Amino acid sequence: MEPFWTNGWATLYHASAQELPLPDKSVHIVATSPPYYLQRAYKGVDERVIGEEATPEEYLQNLLACFREVRRVLHDTGILFVNLGDKRDSSKLQKLAIPERFGLAMQQDGWLWRDTIVW
C-alpha cells in the first residue's frame, strides 16, 4: 500500500485499523482517537463501521480486534495513547463507562494500563 503522506521521517497511511499495512513491530508510537460509541456516523474504508454497534460490549470487542492489530505492529518498546469518550445511557442519567470498560478489556487482553488523563 502506498503512503497517504510522508516527509521521510514520518509516514501516514489511510487504511482499516483491522488490517494495518505495516510490518510487525515497526511502529514506536500510536496515538489514536477511535470512533466513540454511538456518537456520529463515520464513513470508513470498508463496510465495518466501528462506533455504530448495537451494544457497548460489541463495540469494545471490535475495538479490541483493532488493537490486537496495533499490538502486532507496535515495537516492543513502543507506546499507545488512546483518546476515548464516553456516552450516557438512553435515560441520560448515567454514563456507560466506555473508557473504563475499554481499559479493563485491554488489560485482560494483555496490555498494560499505565495512566488515565481526564479532559
Side-chain angles (χ1 to χ4, degrees):
M1 169 178 259
E2 289 294 315
F4 176 75
W5 175 88
T6 187
N7 68 0
W9 180 76
T11 304
L12 300 178
Y13 292 90
H14 184 248
S16 170
Q18 296 162 329
E19 297 173 24
L20 297 171
L22 302 167
D24 293 357
K25 300 185 184 297
S26 63
V27 176
H28 292 271
I29 298 172
V30 174
T32 184
S33 182
Y36 297 176
Y37 179 62
L38 297 180
Q39 296 291 326
R40 67 175 59 125
Y42 289 90
K43 300 300 178 215
V45 295
D46 57 30
E47 303 273 329
R48 300 170 290 183
V49 179
I50 293 177
E52 297 181 9
E53 293 83 354
T55 66
E57 292 76 21
E58 185 182 346
Y59 169 70
L60 292 171
Q61 288 305 309
N62 286 336
L63 282 183
L64 285 177
C66 292
F67 285 101
R68 287 182 186 125
E69 181 67 356
V70 168
R71 183 179 351 191
R72 179 188 68 77
V73 303
L74 193 62
H75 191 274
D76 291 337
T77 61
I79 189 165
L80 168 65
F81 297 93
V82 181
N83 179 10
L84 190 59
D86 207 352
K87 180 162 180 69
R88 295 194 179 270
D89 67 4
S90 59
S91 70
K92 307 280 191 238
L93 295 176
Q94 72 176 350
K95 292 167 52 171
L96 295 177
I98 297 290
E100 293 82 1
R101 291 185 197 195
F102 172 74
L104 293 171
M106 290 284 280
Q107 276 186 321
Q108 291 174 348
D109 207 45
W111 290 86
L112 298 175
W113 183 358
R114 296 198 185 253
D115 208 348
T116 299
I117 300 170
V118 178
W119 295 55

